[in-house]
Structures are given as structure tokens and as C-alpha cells.
Amino acid sequence: MTVRNGFLIVYRLKRKISTMLQGWIQIGLTLVLIVAIAPILGGYIARVFLGQKTLLDSILNPLENLLFNLSGIQSNRQVAAPMTGWQYSRAILYSNLAMAVILALIMNFQGILPLNPTGMSAPSWDTILHTTISFITNTDQQHYAGETTLSYFTQTLGLGFMFFVSAATGIAVGIAFIRGLTGRSLGNFYVDLIKSITRILLPISIIGTIALIISGVPETLSAPVVVPTLEDPSISQAIALGPVAHFEFIKQLGENGGGFFAANSAHPLENPNGFSNLLQTLAMISIPTALIFTYGEIANNRKMSWLLFGMVFIIFVGFIIVTGIGEYQGNSLVNAVLGKQSPNFEGKEIRFGWAQTALFSVTTTGTMTGAVNSMFDSLMPSGAFITMSNLFLQIIWGGQGTGTAYLFAYSILAVFVTGLMVGRTPEFLGRKIEKNEVVLTSFLILLIHPIFILIPGAIALAFPDQLAGISNPGFHGLTQVIYEYASAAANNGSGFAGLGNSQPAPTALWWNLSASVSLLGGRYVPIVALLLLADGMSRKQPVAMTTGTLRTDTVLFTSVTAGVILIMGALTFFPVLALGSVAEAFLIARGG
């Protein structure tokens, strides 16, 4: 009996180690692919916006010329003139407003529009308002269930169109910011928007969609299929279908995140297996990581791009490790009941396991995608801490295009802070950092983001019954509320669940309206500030490098930048984290 028990212990230990190693190996291989893809795609994006030759020129040049001519952007083969910061900002605001009106009308009249096999009527006015703002801001925060609320026409032609233009807007802002930092004019928004779609988003989406269809994701206009259940054949169940594959891939590639189904990438028809999960993970992280190398190509400073990539990659890997360990060790209270250590499988899809759940969760909040392959409400406190930290920092890897801009804004702030400490000249890329740059970066990083998170969060927490409809009291409930606004202000869109923010809950009106304010403020105020900052930098005369100039392409400066990022984030948001996920972790550790 003793020998048998010994064999059982050895077998279980071997199986436990095997499961753990398998999970970390999966994560490691995915990270290797990310490192391999980023510089290649980054170089391609740089060639697109530098006007250099690419493999797709023969196919896309005629298409782009047609679009330029039809829209009036190009006349007599001359592309429209570059814009100033204010002109670029106004072009974004006006075009986004026009597209938002079109989407709102589609949703309002979806009951009489085609491709509506289940005869869905229009959602409530506040849901339409919130959804329109959410999708035009590249957030795609959803206070509804897609398969029971929106028709195929609305999902495909309304939301699907927004997937492309909102993502392309972010890429255009990132490229304009890089141009400004390197002393070039910002460019023309409409040209950048079209090229972002035709040269980057559309070609990759076509290939990715085909791959998802092969992996088992449906692409059909058929109505839902009604089938008898296995438990009781007399009871039928409707299985929702739709044109999911193409919707799914641009959702990930464009950092959109809004699911065709309510369960998002945890739904078996959106994300059926490990291969589709890998494709979606690589899709949502490919462009944010690549844009760092795009900067290196445009600025002709590849060393700095590798250093910045390495800095963010190290933080990213550290966040994955913390989240992965927490999910693998599981809940100590549940383990005590089971009598053994078990990964945290609550709210998880077993086909992905703890490792792919941890990787996906950190990646989707780090890239501001917002798609989920598990329920965040079930994450261990360490996972909640990391996902919220991603939303607070916004640079690991950050939003589509805007994340790269935020990263360089932090670098400018680090140059100024370091210059004050050591008496070096505050210069960045050969241009002096002066009052205007310091004010804009401080305003952008230290003020705007917290305002649109903490103020509405405080109001909701002050009236938990009347406004918020919070399902979990105590520390977890606080995390749910703050996460909602952090997700909105960071243009991420993922949710921590547990809030009455979907119709017909009586509190849905509050969440739709208050979150809309955070969505708008978190998107457009930073974009304008970034463009003005880039415009100001582009107008500065370059200064010669001297012995007093602080070099920004060194390991030392990159380490200082990492410290500035983490310290600024901690000073601003750590009290909220301490009262939420940190306190919840201590509560679980002491036995509930």
C-alpha cells in the first residue's frame, strides 16, 4: 500500500510538472513568434508611409488612386498637402462624427434593413448612443449581446466598417506622431487613413480570415440553426451563426475587440481551438509591436527602437508570468476544499487552459484590444491587478498607433525629469524639450486618463444601488466599477462583468451615458494633445549633439524611462489597486 501510494504521488507530481511546463512552453513559443514578426511588419509599415516600393504596389496603386480621385484627396496626380496638428485633429473629428451618424442610423433602422433573419428591432436609444461612440473610438465596449441584439447587416456593414476606420485612425495618428518627432510634417490624415486600410489592415485581414475559416470559424448568412438538445430531444436550442470569420479577424488585428457573440473569443464559433487562439493572439499584438520598429526605420535609429521594444517586452513578459502563476496555483480556498492544488478553471475555456488564458488576458489588455477568451470576473486577484495595470499604463503595448505615441510621450517626460536631476540638456531626437512639450505630456499622461476613470468611478461607488447595480460588495465590486471606466478611457472595451450595464437592467442608462463620456474623453483629448505635441516638435530647429546632450538610445536611458512609466502609474493608480485586487488577494490568503 505504501509503495502504491508512492507511485501515485510520483505520477501526480510528474503530471503536474508536465502540465505546467506545457503551458509555459506554449507561452514561450508565442512570444518567439511575436519577436520574429514585429520587426518585419514594422519595416513594411515604414515603407508604406515613406512612399517606398512594396510587393503590393502593382495591385493597390490603382485602387488607391481611384479612392484618392473619388474623394478629392488627389488632383492631377498630386497628393493633398500635409496638415498642421489642428488640421489633422479636425479631419479626424469631422470624419469620425460623420461615420458615427451613419452607424447610429443603421442601428436605429436595422429592423427594416436586409440581412436580419431573426427580425431584430432597434436597441434602446442609450444603447445605440453608447455602442456608436464605443465603436467609433476603437473601444468596442459592449453593453449588449451581439447575437440577440444586432442583425447581420448591422454587425457586418455597420460595426465591421468601424473596425477598419477606427483602427486606421489610430495607425494614422501613430504615424503622424512619429513624423513629427523626426522633424517631418505630420502628413495628410485622409491619405494616411486610406493607406492604413488598403496597405495594412485589408491585406492581412484577407489572409487571416481564410485561416480562421480553415480553423472552423463560420462565415455564413444563414439563419440560426434550431436543433434538439442531447439531454431532452423534445427541447430545442437555437445555435446562432453569422458571417463571423472576417468579423473576428479584423476585430483582433485592429484592436477592436467587440465580439460577434456575447461570449466573445470564449465562444466556440469565434475561437474554436488552439490554432484559432494563436492566430487571434498574434493578430492583436502584431501592429502595436511593429510600430515601434516603424519608428526606428523612419527615424533611422533602429537601436532605440530595439531598446524600447525590449523594455516593453520585459514588462509584458513579467506581467504574463505574474498572471500565469496566479492562474496556475488557483484559489487557495477552492484547493482546500478539493484537497489538492488545481489551476483556476472558473470562467475558463478548458480547450485553452490556464496558460493561454493568462497570455490572452495580458495581451488583450496590453494592446487595448479588449477581446476575451475567458471571463475576467473569474481571474485571480493577481490577474486582475495586471489587466487593470495595463489599462492604466496604456503602453504595454498600448492602443493601435496611439500606444506607440504614448510610449514616446513617456520618453519625452523621462528626458525632462532626467535632465533636471543630472543637469543635462533636455533634448529628444535633436530637438529641445521646452515648456510646451512638458505641459502637453504631463497633461496627457498625468491628468486626462485619471480624470475619466476616477471621477465617474467615484460617483458610481457613491450610489451603488441607485446608479451602479454592483453585484459584488467589497473589494471585488470596487475592481468591477473602476475596471469599467478604465476600459472605456483606455479604449480597450473589455469588461470585468458583474454590473447592470446591459438592457433591460434599470442601471443600464447610467452605465451607457457615463461610460460614453469616458470613451470620448479617453480617445479624442489624447489624440489632439499628441498631434499638437508632434506638430510642435516638427517645427523645432534641430540642435547639434554635444557632450551635454542626454543620449536616448542607451540602456541606461531606457531603464530610466521604464522607471518613470512604472512610478507615474503607481503614484496615480496604486491606491485604487490596493483597495481592489491587492486587498482581495490578502482576503483570500487569510481564508476568505
Side-chain angles (χ1 to χ4, degrees), residues 52-125:
Q52 298 174 355
K53 277 191 172 185
T54 66
L55 293 174
L56 299 177
D57 284 352
S58 59
I59 301 173
L60 295 178
N61 279 342
L63 173 62
E64 288 175 352
N65 289 333
L66 175 64
L67 293 173
F68 290 152
N69 287 320
L70 289 175
S71 58
I73 296 173
Q74 179 171 286
S75 178
N76 296 325
R77 307 179 71 85
Q78 296 296 317
V79 178
M83 297 176 170
T84 65
W86 280 116
Q87 288 172 334
Y88 209 101
S89 300
R90 286 197 296 270
I92 291 173
L93 295 174
Y94 294 158
S95 62
N96 281 206
L97 177 61
M99 290 183 284
V101 171
I102 293 172
L103 176 59
L105 290 173
I106 290 174
M107 295 178 66
N108 191 63
F109 294 104
Q110 75 170 5
I112 60 174
L113 292 172
L115 299 180
N116 188 5
T118 54
M120 294 180 186
S121 58
S124 63
W125 70 268

Side-chain angles (χ1 to χ4, degrees), residues 201-215:
L201 297 174
L202 190 59
I204 300 175
S205 293
I206 291 173
I207 298 171
T209 298
I210 294 171
L212 284 181
I213 292 173
I214 293 172
S215 73

Side-chain angles (χ1 to χ4, degrees), residues 3 7 118 196 231 392 458 514 574:
V3 174
F7 277 123
T118 54
S196 296
E231 182 179 1
F392 293 152
S514 62
F574 189 75

Side-chain angles (χ1 to χ4, degrees), residues 21 28 108 213 216 229 245 258 277 301 322-323 370 406 418 438 491-492 509:
L21 287 177
N108 191 63
I213 292 173
T229 62
N277 192 72
N301 192 343
V322 171
T323 305
Y406 265 106
T418 308
V438 175
N491 301 138
N492 178 265
L509 178 63

Side-chain angles (χ1 to χ4, degrees), residues 367-547:
T367 61
M368 302 307 147
T369 304
V372 294
N373 71 352
S374 65
M375 298 300 104
F376 281 9
D377 192 37
S378 299
L379 287 173
M380 295 302 297
S382 58
F385 181 95
I386 294 302
T387 52
M388 286 189 69
S389 297
N390 276 334
L391 301 181
F392 293 152
L393 296 176
Q394 299 191 89
I395 54 94
I396 309 167
W397 301 86
Q400 190 85 293
T402 56
T404 306
Y406 265 106
L407 181 59
F408 285 106
Y410 269 113
S411 298
I412 291 173
L413 198 59
V415 167
F416 179 74
V417 172
T418 308
L420 289 178
M421 291 191 294
V422 301
R424 293 292 188 98
T425 305
E427 298 170 5
F428 189 72
L429 302 181
R431 288 165 176 80
K432 286 187 177 295
I433 304 301
E434 297 174 304
K435 177 184 175 181
N436 188 53
E437 288 73 43
V438 175
V439 169
L440 281 172
T441 52
S442 301
F443 173 75
L444 180 70
I445 294 170
L446 302 179
L447 189 60
I448 289 301
H449 198 48
I451 282 177
F452 289 108
I453 296 174
L454 301 180
I455 291 179
I459 296 173
L461 290 167
F463 301 95
D465 297 324
Q466 298 90 333
L467 296 178
I470 303 169
S471 63
N472 287 286
F475 308 129
H476 197 80
L478 184 142
T479 300
Q480 290 175 333
V481 171
I482 298 300
Y483 192 100
E484 179 77 3
Y485 293 112
S487 174
N491 301 138
N492 178 265
S494 60
F496 215 74
L499 302 175
N501 54 16
S502 298
Q503 301 291 344
T507 55
L509 178 63
W510 161 256
W511 289 111
N512 283 332
L513 297 182
S514 62
S516 293
V517 175
S518 295
L519 289 166
L520 290 170
R523 175 69 165 182
Y524 295 112
V525 175
I527 279 180
V528 173
L530 287 169
L531 290 170
L532 293 179
L533 176 60
D535 193 26
M537 291 290 287
S538 71
R539 297 174 187 275
K540 289 180 178 288
Q541 291 297 321
V543 294
M545 184 176 293
T546 67
T547 55

Side-chain angles (χ1 to χ4, degrees), residues 524-573:
Y524 295 112
V525 175
I527 279 180
V528 173
L530 287 169
L531 290 170
L532 293 179
L533 176 60
D535 193 26
M537 291 290 287
S538 71
R539 297 174 187 275
K540 289 180 178 288
Q541 291 297 321
V543 294
M545 184 176 293
T546 67
T547 55
T549 302
L550 178 67
R551 293 189 63 89
T552 57
D553 56 352
T554 64
V555 174
L556 177 60
F557 177 76
T558 306
S559 302
V560 171
T561 303
V564 168
I565 291 170
L566 296 176
I567 290 171
M568 293 297 182
L571 289 175
T572 307
F573 292 107

Side-chain angles (χ1 to χ4, degrees), residues 43 49 89 134 182-183 221 275 289 296 337 358 383 434 452 526 586 588 591:
F49 290 103
S89 300
S134 181
T182 56
L221 295 177
F275 176 66
T289 54
V337 174
E434 297 174 304
F452 289 108
F586 279 110
I588 293 175

